[in-house]
Amino acid sequence: MDDNKEKQSVNFIETIINEELSEGKNDGRIHTRFPPEPNGYLHIGHAKSILLNYGISQEYKGKFNLRFDDTNPTKEEQEYVDSILEDVKWLGADWEDRLFFASDYFDQLYEWAEKIIMNGKAYVDDQPAEKISEQRGTPSKPGTESPFRNRIPEENLDLFRRMKAGEFPNGAKVLRAKVDMTSPNMHMRDPVMYRILHAHHHRTGDKWCLYPMYDWAHGESDYLEGITHSICTLEFEVHRPLYDWFVDQIQEAEYRPRQIEFARLNLSYTVMSKRKLLELVKEGYVNGWDDPRMPTISGLRRRGYTPESLKIFAEKVGVAKRNNVIDVALLEHSVREDLNKKASRVMAVLDPLKVIITNYPENETEILRAENNPEDPDAGYRDLPFSNEVYIERSDFMTDPPKKYFRLAPGREVRLKNAYIIKCEDYKTDEVTGEIVEVYCTYDPESKSGGAGSQRKVKGTLHWVSAQHAIDAEVRQFDRLFKNEDPENVEAGQDYKANLNPDSLTIMKACKVEPGLRDVNPGDKFQFQRMGYFCVDTDSTPEMPVFNRTVPLRDPWSKMSSKK
RNA sequence: UGCCCGAUGGUGUAAUUGGCAACACGUCUGACUCUGAAUCAGAAGAGUCCAGGUUCGAACCCUGGUCGGGCAACCA
């Protein structure tokens, strides 16, 4: 099985690694990391990155670190650290004992900064942010040098130490790397290494009033951890020369980390920026970060996605450098593929219509046998009660059906899954509304599933639930959060929120499900036959189980019928 | 007007590193079916952004364009 696992095509990062390996770089050691900033919840784009980094470490028998990039105390919170830890763990990316924080390295970073100052490669600038920004020029205009650029190392060191000691207020001074104000790369125009921030840090408390900037902290953190491949997204491509410049300042031996950039994941009908997701949460467009409609890992988890389904997805999506928009259908396909193998089949009627079987004894209950999962012989069987009154799906009965409609209609026969063939003899409508209230059928006693006369074929098979045995349940159905494939595609003056789908959430409170579903726990997953995959929500109680629809089953009929 | 990336069916990713474009999703047929699911069989759909060049041969190399994305926080 394994050997005919068609020669897996390698992505461009693996190609690079393979080349380096054959050159003997870093002694053949492979070490990756995932470096989230704890300022928001992780989303499926992060999942791609986590799975990529962890996957590479596994593939090459290397190591994988989790490191929080917590260099900005004004935006970061413990709540986010906790959620990120939970999400990464849930995905199965194992950092073993290598959980780190950039803030763990503040002392080392500071020490190095002093060294760089003494090497004449960094200086303290007294100018305000606006002034520095002005002098930086524009992409097409070179920058000009700060009047403080040529301070002598001793003076810089003294000032830097006083910055650390807290002698200056926020914004009074910064430490800048002395690189090249005329570089065509804006990031090389004497970037800021440290800013003064009298702020409480979630880990270091009030120890520091001086915090390193991303570019300075990131590569050095990689270096300290022995990271060999620092994989990040495309927008950091222009930072790479600076990443390398900073490593140059401190590198001591042969080893050095290498930054490689790949294209971030984009999903159709979805927004992915932390800022927008935060906005959706804060302004109440969704019910929290783990709202099942959110593309967050916690949202997907609550929705019923499995870690495996996300792995399947990540593999199908691939890794490259070109901008992409993945069809959400691929995500949906990935869960179905996983859940099809694992989820027990059960029957649940979401929009019940009562069917009375007129020739079945009124007070009798019959126990039928039902297969739990035709895809998994080991899943076994369960008992199902049957009686003379059952509920079927309202959409499974029509008084005047179109051609090709295989379900129940006056005079037509249909099979009740795992039970009998029934025939519609009559129905009753509400005199006022015209709504169908009951359907009257007769059953064929010879047609019992598994019985001698069960070979008889009918066009349709319906799911059902015995009226007197069924239990009540709430079902939440989700549709895409945005109406437009590209949520950003709006008329002038509007933003992505104009594309919000008002019908993204449908709550059905009168559902009837088979009695075996009485004792379920949040997270349990099922296939409601003919309906889709569902997952028990955290709001579920023993009195009222709540199911989230993870994804509907593929449904050619609804496609066919809605086309006309 | 500067610099850095990228460009292959509707979507995404490949192509033994120069040998007549493959896989997946989606779409459409059909078979099977006690889930209109799954499964199985098949089909349509790109001639690789454009123009030159090198070569027996180019999606891969070279030149010049075009288009798309990124870069001017004391954010990451």
Side-chain angles (χ1 to χ4, degrees):
Chain A
M1 276 301 253
D2 271 313
D3 39 345
N4 67 25
K5 200 179 206 166
E6 79 261 13
K7 60 252 152 163
Q8 220 123 53
S9 63
V10 296
N11 63 49
F12 81 99
I13 295 176
E14 294 166 323
T15 303
I16 290 173
I17 293 176
N18 291 340
E19 279 167 14
E20 291 177 347
L21 248 25
S22 67
E23 292 163 2
K25 196 176 168 192
N26 294 328
D27 304 318
R29 204 168 52 77
I30 300 297
H31 201 151
T32 59
R33 105 264 94 115
F34 176 65
E37 182 189 12
N39 69 342
Y41 279 62
L42 261 25
H43 54 61
I44 189 168
H46 295 113
K48 172 184 177 181
S49 176
I50 293 164
L51 264 10
L52 171 64
N53 277 289
Y54 180 66
I56 285 175
S57 75
Q58 292 301 100
E59 184 186 344
Y60 292 94
K61 310 230 180 311
K63 291 177 175 167
F64 165 81
N65 292 5
L66 176 60
R67 180 179 70 236
F68 286 90
D69 228 330
D70 57 348
T71 57
N72 186 354
T74 64
K75 289 188 177 169
E76 297 152 6
E77 294 172 23
Q78 188 61 39
E79 177 198 352
Y80 297 128
V81 172
D82 296 340
S83 74
I84 291 169
L85 250 15
E86 185 186 2
D87 290 348
V88 177
K89 199 176 297 171
W90 177 77
L91 268 179
D94 185 5
W95 60 81
E96 298 175 336
D97 58 350
R98 292 179 306 282
L99 167 62
F100 301 118
F101 293 80
S103 53
D104 292 342
Y105 312 135
F106 284 175
D107 285 299
Q108 174 65 261
L109 253 16
Y110 177 83
E111 204 175 294
W112 275 333
E114 287 204 344
K115 177 186 157 201
I116 293 172
I117 288 171
M118 291 315 288
N119 288 341
K121 295 293 191 61
Y123 62 96
V124 173
D125 196 330
D126 298 354
Q127 303 180 105
E130 312 77 61
K131 198 74 193 162
I132 290 176
S133 168
E134 258 176 56
Q135 289 166 358
R136 193 158 2 244
T138 70
S140 53
K141 240 190 308 166
T144 53
E145 297 185 353
S146 161
F148 298 98
R149 194 172 201 261
N150 294 312
R151 287 223 254 231
I152 58 168
E154 288 70 20
E155 187 187 357
N156 283 319
L157 186 62
D158 173 60
L159 254 14
F160 187 50
R161 287 181 172 169
R162 288 165 59 195
M163 284 165 69
K164 182 194 180 198
E167 288 188 28
F168 309 108
N170 288 357
K173 289 178 166 41
V174 291
L175 181 72
R176 291 228 258 168
K178 195 169 178 178
V179 190
D180 177 7
M181 289 307 290
T182 65
S183 171
N185 183 339
M186 298 290 293
H187 297 279
M188 300 300 270
R189 324 243 259 229
D190 289 10
V192 172
M193 291 172 70
Y194 279 98
R195 75 286 214 189
I196 297 170
L197 242 35
H198 291 272
H200 186 85
H201 186 280
H202 70 106
R203 298 200 94 232
T204 60
D206 297 311
K207 178 178 177 186
W208 297 89
C209 61
L210 200 58
Y211 291 93
M213 300 289 291
Y214 166 84
D215 288 297
W216 166 234
H218 198 86
E220 322 315 290
S221 299
D222 286 339
Y223 183 81
L224 282 166
E225 293 177 16
I227 299 302
T228 56
H229 299 273
S230 183
I231 300 170
C232 61
T233 44
L234 250 31
E235 67 271 27
F236 291 102
E237 207 154 20
V238 278
H239 292 242
R240 193 171 57 223
L242 183 56
Y243 181 101
D244 290 333
W245 189 92
F246 277 133
V247 172
D248 286 343
Q249 307 310 308
I250 56 154
Q251 187 185 13
E252 284 174 351
E254 196 63 10
Y255 154 74
R256 66 150 49 217
R258 201 232 264 222
Q259 176 179 306
I260 300 174
E261 313 83 15
F262 71 100
R264 63 152 23 99
L265 172 75
N266 295 296
L267 259 189
S268 59
Y269 298 98
T270 310
V271 294
M272 207 73 94
S273 88
K274 279 191 192 175
R275 202 209 93 226
K276 287 171 190 141
L277 295 178
L278 177 65
E279 191 172 27
L280 293 173
V281 172
K282 285 250 158 86
E283 296 179 12
Y285 293 102
V286 296
N287 306 313
W289 285 100
D290 69 343
D291 186 300
R293 292 167 293 178
M294 290 283 273
T296 50
I297 294 178
S298 51
L300 291 164
R301 176 169 58 233
R302 188 170 177 187
R303 172 95 169 232
Y305 277 76
T306 57
E308 293 72 25
S309 66
L310 264 21
K311 275 174 214 155
I312 291 169
F313 176 68
E315 264 163 40
K316 289 184 190 292
V317 158
V319 182
K321 293 191 74 164
R322 91 182 74 142
N323 299 318
N324 60 75
V325 181
I326 310 293
D327 191 339
V328 276
L330 187 62
L331 216 211
E332 296 179 342
H333 170 265
S334 303
V335 232
R336 289 195 191 103
E337 183 176 319
D338 187 44
L339 260 19
N340 177 47
K341 295 178 299 194
K342 301 177 181 168
S344 287
R345 273 60 173 170
V346 294
M347 294 199 281
V349 177
L350 309 192
D351 186 10
L353 170 62
K354 186 174 275 187
V355 170
I356 297 171
I357 301 166
T358 54
N359 61 339
Y360 193 90
E362 239 178 83
N363 296 310
E364 195 169 312
T365 293
E366 189 176 352
I367 301 300
L368 304 169
R369 193 158 170 265
E371 191 177 20
N372 285 325
N373 187 348
E375 305 288 326
D376 177 10
D378 296 333
Y381 295 81
R382 69 185 185 287
D383 291 336
L384 267 182
F386 181 79
S387 62
N388 72 318
E389 291 189 5
V390 301
Y391 290 112
I392 64 167
E393 211 66 60
R394 189 162 285 277
S395 57
D396 283 339
F397 176 77
M398 283 184 105
T399 53
D400 185 21
K403 52 266 124 198
K404 295 285 192 131
Y405 186 81
F406 300 159
R407 288 103 98 149
L408 198 60
R412 294 235 217 147
E413 280 189 317
V414 96
R415 160 143 244 133
L416 293 180
K417 175 88 180 163
N418 299 123
Y420 299 93
I421 290 173
I422 57 170
K423 179 178 186 180
C424 174
E425 309 287 358
D426 198 5
Y427 60 92
K428 183 167 98 188
T429 55
D430 184 296
E431 286 170 16
V432 198
T433 64
E435 186 187 58
I436 295 151
V437 285
E438 280 177 352
V439 177
Y440 305 100
C441 295
T442 51
Y443 85 116
D444 171 6
E446 302 299 305
S447 65
K448 180 171 172 177
S449 292
S454 67
Q455 307 58 277
R456 192 153 75 82
K457 304 291 183 207
V458 287
K459 268 295 190 44
T461 299
L462 308 185
H463 62 280
W464 55 274
V465 94
S466 168
Q468 60 165 296
H469 304 280
I471 59 173
D472 295 324
E474 173 179 325
V475 168
R476 300 175 182 171
Q477 301 197 102
F478 310 102
D479 197 354
R480 27 202 63 152
L481 239 194
F482 294 91
K483 291 177 291 188
N484 200 301
E485 189 176 337
D486 174 12
E488 304 295 344
N489 187 347
V490 290
E491 287 170 33
Q494 305 196 107
D495 72 356
Y496 71 100
K497 294 197 289 303
N499 274 323
L500 246 3
N501 175 7
D503 304 316
S504 60
L505 172 64
T506 306
I507 298 179
M508 309 185 78
K509 288 177 176 289
C511 309
K512 297 285 186 183
V513 303
E514 62 174 74
L517 259 21
R518 196 183 307 274
D519 303 307
V520 291
N521 297 302
D524 288 354
K525 296 168 179 64
F526 300 93
Q527 183 198 92
F528 287 178
Q529 286 186 109
R530 303 207 306 132
M531 303 306 300
Y533 294 99
F534 292 75
C535 171
V536 180
D537 189 74
T538 45
D539 287 346
S540 208
T541 64
E543 295 71 42
M544 181 57 82
V546 177
F547 296 90
N548 293 325
R549 186 176 72 182
T550 307
V551 65
L553 253 28
R554 291 188 68 211
D555 185 5
W557 165 249
S558 75
K559 198 177 294 177
M560 196 193 314
S561 53
S562 65
K563 258 180 199 167
K564 313 231 162 147

